[in-house]
Amino acid sequence: ATLSYGRSAFSILGGYSYRLSSPYTDGSGRKFTEGLNYRPETLDSDAFRVGTVWGSVAASPFAGHLARFSYSHQEADHVLYPYLQMDAVYDDTDRINAGYQIEDLKGFVRSLRIQGYYAQVDHWMTDEYRASSLDKPRGYSMGTLAGTQVLGGKVETMLRGVKVGVEAYHREWDGTTSMAGSNYAPQYSIPDVRTDNVGLYTEYTRPLAEQVKISFGGRLDTVTTAADASRANSSLYYAYHSTRLTSKTDNYPSGNVRVGWKAPLGLQISGGVGHTVRVPDARERYFALKRMGTDWVGNPELEPSRNTGFDGGVAFRHEGLLLESNLYVNYIDDFVTVVPQARVNMVPG
C-alpha cells in the first residue's frame, strides 16, 4: 500500500508492504526443507516473512533548490537459508537518507549537492529450526548475533564544468558466535571492526573537436580497517598467517579516461580505460572462528583488490535502426577468495 501527495514545492510519499513465501520446490516436487536437516515441524514453515514501512519528503523552498528526506524500516522475522547451517530468527534494518541540492547557480560555483545517510542492521541467526538443535540447553546448538551501523555523507559541487567532491563514511560491524560444544562461550567472529573511508574525487568533460569529446576522472582514498584488539582472536591470525595485526590503513588512487567520437552517417565510436581499488572488508580481514576440525579465519594482511579495465563500443543509428557492439576486458590483481589454509604456527588451545 502506498500513499503520495505532491505539488511543485512539496511532496510526500509513504508505504507499507508485507511479503511471505512458502519453501520453493525443485523439479521433482521436493521442498528445499526436505533433506537439509530441518526439523519435522519446520518442513512446511514459511521460507520468509518480511514487513517494510517507508516514507519520504521533498521540498523546494526556492527556485533551483531541493531538499529530500527518507526513512525506511524493515523486519524480516523468519528467513530460512537452505545453503547454510543456520537460519535467521530476525533481521531488522533501518535506513535514513537526507540531502540538499542547489542547481543553476551563476558564477564560479554552478551547483552544490549535500547528502548524508545512516543505516543499521540487527541480525540473529541460529540452527533452532534444524535437527542439530534437538536436546540442546538453549534450544539451539549454534547462533550468531551480528550488527552493523554506517554513517556517511558526500559534498559535491560543479565548478565551471569541473565536478569536485568529497565523500566519507564510518562503519562498524560486529558479530558474536556461540556453540553448545564450547558451552556457549562467546567467540567474537567479527570483532567489532570499524572501517573509516575518506575520498576526494573530480570529473571533467570537454570537447576536443566538433565531433570528439573526452572525459576523465580521478579519486584519492584513504581507508582504515581496525578490529577491537580486546575482542580479536589474534592467536588464530598468528596460527594461519603469522601475524597479530588488528588494523591496517590503505591509501590508493583510482581514475578513468574516456573518448567518444561522433562519426559521419550516424556512427559513434567510444573507448576508455579505468583503474579502481576495493579494500578487503571486516569479514575478509578479521573474521575468526575456532571450530572442531576446521577453523574459519580471515587474513589481516590482505592487500586491496585492484581492477584495471578497458572497454570500447561502436554504435550505428539511422532513423528507427540501432546496432551496437561492445568489448571489454578486466584485469584483477590480488582478488579475495576463500582457500584451504594449513596452520603454519602451533598455538596453545
Side-chain angles (χ1 to χ4, degrees):
T2 61
L3 178 67
S4 65
Y5 173 83
R7 286 292 184 268
S8 59
F10 176 80
S11 65
I12 186 170
L13 168 70
Y16 176 79
S17 74
Y18 185 78
R19 306 181 300 281
L20 61 86
S21 172
S22 58
Y24 66 78
T25 58
D26 63 17
S28 65
R30 280 205 329 166
K31 299 176 182 177
F32 76 65
T33 49
E34 300 178 39
L36 285 176
N37 202 36
Y38 280 97
R39 298 172 66 152
E41 62 269 28
T42 308
L43 296 180
D44 294 321
S45 74
D46 293 328
F48 62 80
R49 297 190 294 267
V50 183
T52 309
V53 61
W54 68 90
S56 64
V57 178
S60 180
F62 313 102
H65 290 238
L66 180 63
R68 295 179 182 271
F69 177 84
S70 63
Y71 169 76
S72 69
H73 174 75
Q74 178 172 287
E75 294 184 359
D77 294 328
H78 180 89
V79 183
L80 303 185
Y81 296 115
Y83 57 94
L84 298 177
Q85 298 177 19
M86 297 190 291
D87 307 284
V89 181
Y90 64 80
D91 188 283
D92 299 336
T93 305
D94 293 280
R95 298 183 181 94
I96 298 174
N97 201 325
Y100 196 93
Q101 64 186 59
I102 307 173
E103 303 289 347
D104 301 324
L105 292 173
K106 308 300 181 183
F108 182 68
V109 178
R110 301 299 175 87
S111 67
L112 178 65
R113 296 187 179 188
I114 302 173
Q115 180 193 15
Y117 59 87
Y118 173 78
Q120 69 170 14
V121 179
D122 294 315
H123 181 73
W124 170 238
M125 63 189 308
T126 71
D127 67 339
E128 62 187 71
Y129 306 133
R130 312 289 183 108
S132 55
S133 65
L134 293 171
D135 302 323
K136 295 300 185 291
R138 296 187 181 181
Y140 63 88
S141 71
M142 63 183 98
T144 296
L145 179 63
T148 183
Q149 303 86 36
V150 60
L151 177 66
K154 177 169 64 174
V155 178
E156 183 179 283
T157 183
M158 185 71 75
L159 306 175
R160 288 189 179 177
V162 181
K163 182 185 294 185
V164 179
V166 57
E167 185 176 20
Y169 70 83
H170 168 81
R171 182 184 185 185
E172 296 183 2
W173 191 357
D174 187 52
T176 303
T177 299
S178 55
M179 294 181 285
S182 55
N183 296 319
Y184 298 104
Q187 290 194 65
Y188 302 109
S189 47
I190 302 178
D192 196 12
V193 180
R194 64 175 177 85
T195 302
D196 294 299
N197 183 102
V198 178
L200 302 173
Y201 62 92
T202 183
E203 298 177 13
Y204 181 61
T205 301
R206 64 161 298 169
L208 293 181
E210 184 177 354
Q211 302 296 329
V212 180
K213 182 173 66 175
I214 184 172
S215 61
F216 54 87
R219 183 176 174 117
L220 181 64
D221 282 84
T222 178
V223 183
T224 297
T225 57
D228 184 340
S230 65
R231 293 189 169 199
N233 191 340
S234 60
S235 293
L236 274 177
Y237 306 153
Y238 183 76
Y240 289 90
H241 302 294
S242 298
T243 181
R244 295 185 181 274
L245 194 68
T246 57
S247 66
K248 188 174 177 63
T249 298
D250 298 281
N251 302 293
Y252 58 87
S254 56
N256 65 84
V257 178
R258 189 167 191 84
V259 178
W261 175 42
K262 287 187 176 182
L265 304 176
L267 193 64
Q268 299 182 22
I269 302 174
S270 63
V273 57
H275 178 79
T276 188
V277 179
R278 186 186 75 83
V279 172
D281 65 24
R283 176 183 51 181
E284 293 165 339
R285 275 184 171 166
Y286 302 114
F287 193 93
L289 185 63
K290 186 170 62 173
R291 302 171 70 244
M292 293 297 292
T294 305
D295 303 317
W296 292 348
V297 189
N299 184 355
E301 294 188 330
L302 281 177
E303 293 295 327
S305 300
R306 302 179 182 275
N307 184 354
T308 302
F310 307 85
D311 75 273
V314 178
F316 174 73
R317 296 176 183 270
H318 181 70
E319 296 180 352
L321 176 66
L322 170 63
L323 298 174
E324 288 185 310
S325 178
N326 296 281
L327 176 68
Y328 65 88
V329 59
N330 289 279
Y331 299 93
I332 302 178
D333 294 319
D334 293 318
F335 64 90
V336 178
T337 188
V338 178
V339 296
Q341 169 71 48
R343 285 191 298 270
V344 293
N345 295 303
M346 298 304 296
V347 178

